[in-house]
Structures are given as structure tokens and as C-alpha cells.
């Protein structure tokens, strides 16, 4: 398979251009995708990691046009760190997801938080940022992170889905910041929309988004059912559950799988269906 085209501006539709960052990994797939919205003036969505080559590629793609906003879906360091340098170069404000600080000594399965992320303006659900011929509307979609936002491009019914819905894999939901209850509710929220296409932070564009989201909901409910069955069989620890649920898993992804199982267990505990006993779990009522 050919190497993905990092650093090259690719037009996805008249108002949207994509530039892929050179940060492939088991958690980012081919890398983080930055989207540039607009023609005469632009918004830059998720400028990506603090990588000099990617920053230079973004400036080439922007081509001297005014940048009205640097828009951030969430605070992971493969999405937001480049915002600081881009703001310094363009004078554009950083808007979108709220800043967040979390002390988490547990295993981190997903990209770590960006400790320097500091938005100039936090966007609430339904708030907008606009330029000439384009309007982005924030859609609160917590779950992958507590502050995750998607952004709807109203003029073309496209949705920039960040890491909430990706074109190659399900999202990591890693407690305590990640929350399965919120994630499921955010997926349900998307089902009621009529977006034409999703442009995710990782992976290909999603051309039939409602079908994919319904499949993701079904997948998560299937995982929940597996966990309840395993608890009923006396499988009590997360590593033991991962071994039975993810046969043949790449060992590099074991931490992510464990965090996903934990997120489901926390959700089940809230509903009285699972009970924590130290590092072990048992079936609830």
C-alpha cells in the first residue's frame, strides 16, 4: 500500500481542504488530519501536533489568506499543540473545546493531553464561528474526552467529527476523562442529524455517517453484553476480560482495550449492573 500523502493539501469539496500530519501510530492510524475550511478566508480545524513540517505545510495550504479561527475539537496532543505557533503566525484566535487539566496516574491508552492548550474562546453547543461563505456550528459530543466538540459546516452539511467518530476505528474512551455514558449519548445525538458526510480526525471521509453511527452503537452494546456475560461467569478483572474479548489483539493496543472495558464497567456500575470490589468486579442486580 502506498504511503499516505502527508503535507499535501487535498481538496475534499469546494469549501474543505485536508492536510495530513506525519504522526502515524497505532492510535492515530495514518496521522492526524487538519481541515482548512473556506476560500477567501479560512478556519483551521485541529492544526495537529507541534511538528515543523506539518506547520510549514499548513502555511502553504493557507496561502496567505486571513485565518478567522483556529478551531479545536479536543485537547489531545495530536490535535491541538500546533495551535500556539499557528496563532503566532496568523493572529487568529484559538476557539472550540474548553481547556482541561486532569491528574491521571493510570495507563494512558490514547494521546496524552496537551498541557499548553489555552483557547481564547470556548464554544458551547450551538455556538458558531463564521467567515466569507462558511459557517461552523459547534456540537457538544463528550465521551472520548469530556470537552470534545464536533463542528458542522452548515453550507454543505459536512461534520468534522474529530475523534468522536473516525473513519478507521472506534474511539478510545479512557476514564476518568473519557466517559462511556456520555459517549453513547453523543452517538445517539448524531443519529438524529442529517449530516451528508463526516470528515474525521483520522481515517477516510465517512460517506454514510448515520449507518456507521448505528453500527458503532451496536458494537458498544455488544461489548457491554460481553462484559455482563463474563461477570456472570466469574471473570472479575479487566486484564482477564481483555484476554477473552479481544482475541489476537495487537499487544500495543492492550492498554486501550483495558480502558474501554473500564469505561463500560463504570457505566454499568452507575446503572447498578456491575459492582467494583477493589481491582475486581462482579455482576450487580
Amino acid at each position: 500500500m502506498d504511503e499516505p500523502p502527508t503535507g499535501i493539501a487535498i481538496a475534499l469539496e469546494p469549501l474543505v481542504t485536508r492536510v495530513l500530519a506525519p504522526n502515524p501510530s497505532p492510535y492515530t492510524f495514518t496521522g492526524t488530519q487538519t481541515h482548512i475550511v473556506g476560500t477567501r478566508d479560512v478556519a483551521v480545524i485541529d492544526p495537529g501536533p507541534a511538528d515543523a513540517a506539518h506547520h510549514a505545510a499548513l502555511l502553504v495550504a493557507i496561502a496567505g489568506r486571513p485565518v478567522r479561527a483556529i478551531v479545536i475539537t479536543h485537547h489531545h496532543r495530536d490535535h491541538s499543540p500546533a495551535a500556539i505557533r499557528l496563532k503566532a503566525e496568523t493572529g487568529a484566535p484559538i476557539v472550540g473545546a474548553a481547556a482541561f487539566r486532569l491528574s491521571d496516574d493510570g495507563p494512558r491508552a490514547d494521546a496524552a493531553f496537551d498541557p499548553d492548550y489555552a483557547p481564547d474562546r470556548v464554544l458551547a453547543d450551538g455556538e458558531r464561528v463564521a467567515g466569507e461563505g462558511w459557517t461552523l456550528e459547534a456540537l457538544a459530543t463528550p465521551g472520548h474526552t469530556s470537552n470534545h466538540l464536533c463542528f458542522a459546516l452548515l453550507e454543505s452539511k459536512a461534520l468534522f467529527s474529530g475523534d468522536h467518530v473516525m473513519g478507521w476505528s472506534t474511539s478510545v474512551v479512557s476514564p476518568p476523562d473519557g466517559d462511556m455514558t456520555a459517549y453513547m449519548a453523543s452517538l445517539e445525538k448524531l443519529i438524529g442529524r442529517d449530516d451528508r458526510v463526516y470528515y474525521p480526525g483520522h481515517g477516510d471521509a465517512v460517506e454514510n455517517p448515520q449507518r456507521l453511527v448505528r453500527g458503532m452503537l451496536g458494537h458498544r452494546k455488544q461489548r457491554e453484553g460481553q462484559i455482563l456475560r463474563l461477570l456472570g461467569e466469574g471473570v472479575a478483572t479487566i486484564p482477564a476480560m481483555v484476554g477473552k474479548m479481544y482475541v489476537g489483539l495487537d499487544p500495543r493496543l492492550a492498554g486501550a482495550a483495558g480502558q474501554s472495558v473500564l469505561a463500560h464497567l463504570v457505566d454499568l456500575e452507575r446503572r447498578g449492573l456491575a459492582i467494583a470490589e477493589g481491582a475486581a468486579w462482579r455482576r450487580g442486580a
Side-chain angles (χ1 to χ4, degrees):
M1 187 173 69
D2 293 338
E3 289 296 315
T6 59
I8 299 173
I10 297 174
L12 303 180
E13 59 175 89
L15 284 173
V16 181
T17 300
R18 179 182 67 202
V19 182
L20 178 66
N23 62 329
S25 79
Y27 298 106
T28 61
F29 192 42
T30 57
T32 303
Q33 296 174 150
T34 299
H35 293 95
I36 299 171
V37 176
T39 53
R40 296 194 179 185
D41 59 8
V42 301
V44 179
I45 301 176
D46 285 353
D51 178 271
H54 185 57
H55 176 78
L58 290 182
L59 292 180
V60 170
I62 292 166
R65 292 172 291 177
V67 179
R68 299 301 177 202
I70 301 164
V71 181
I72 305 298
T73 62
H74 66 296
H75 61 301
H76 279 158
R77 68 181 181 189
D78 61 319
H79 287 258
S80 58
I84 293 175
R85 185 173 178 184
L86 190 60
K87 176 182 176 179
E89 293 267 3
T90 66
I94 300 170
V95 307
F100 190 75
R101 299 291 181 267
L102 178 70
S103 176
D104 180 3
D105 296 327
R108 292 303 309 168
D110 195 26
F113 301 140
D114 172 7
D116 300 318
Y117 174 61
D120 297 296
R121 177 187 169 199
V122 174
L123 297 179
D125 187 69
E127 288 193 307
R128 297 176 177 182
V129 58
E132 187 172 342
W134 57 268
T135 310
L136 292 171
E137 182 174 275
L139 182 68
T141 49
H144 174 66
T145 60
S146 59
N147 62 354
H148 194 286
L149 298 173
C150 295
F151 291 93
L153 178 58
L154 302 187
E155 287 75 10
S156 73
K157 288 193 172 183
L159 186 79
F160 299 93
S161 58
D163 281 3
H164 181 58
V165 176
M166 296 187 290
W168 73 287
S169 173
T170 55
S171 296
V172 172
V173 180
S174 181
D177 185 41
D179 186 291
M180 188 62 69
T181 308
Y183 180 72
M184 295 291 279
S186 294
L187 289 178
E188 292 280 4
K189 184 176 184 177
L190 294 188
I191 287 289
R193 295 176 54 86
D194 63 348
D195 302 295
R196 174 183 57 84
V197 63
Y198 290 176
Y199 296 128
H202 309 276
D204 292 335
V206 179
E207 301 289 348
N208 194 333
Q210 283 75 26
R211 182 173 65 186
L212 177 62
V213 173
R214 284 193 295 270
M216 292 173 70
L217 279 164
H219 170 75
R220 291 295 184 177
K221 289 174 182 176
Q222 182 184 43
R223 288 296 191 201
E224 177 183 294
Q226 284 182 291
I227 291 168
L228 288 172
R229 286 193 296 274
L230 289 171
L231 289 174
E233 295 167 4
V235 180
T237 67
I238 290 173
M241 291 181 196
V242 169
K244 290 183 175 292
M245 293 170 62
Y246 297 88
V247 178
L249 179 71
D250 183 334
R252 295 174 297 176
L253 301 178
Q259 289 298 95
S260 180
V261 171
L262 174 60
H264 275 293
L265 285 166
V266 171
D267 177 57
L268 291 168
E269 184 179 36
R270 289 174 182 150
R271 294 150 56 194
L273 298 174
I275 298 170
E277 296 179 335
W281 293 80
R282 62 180 174 88
R283 183 79 180 256

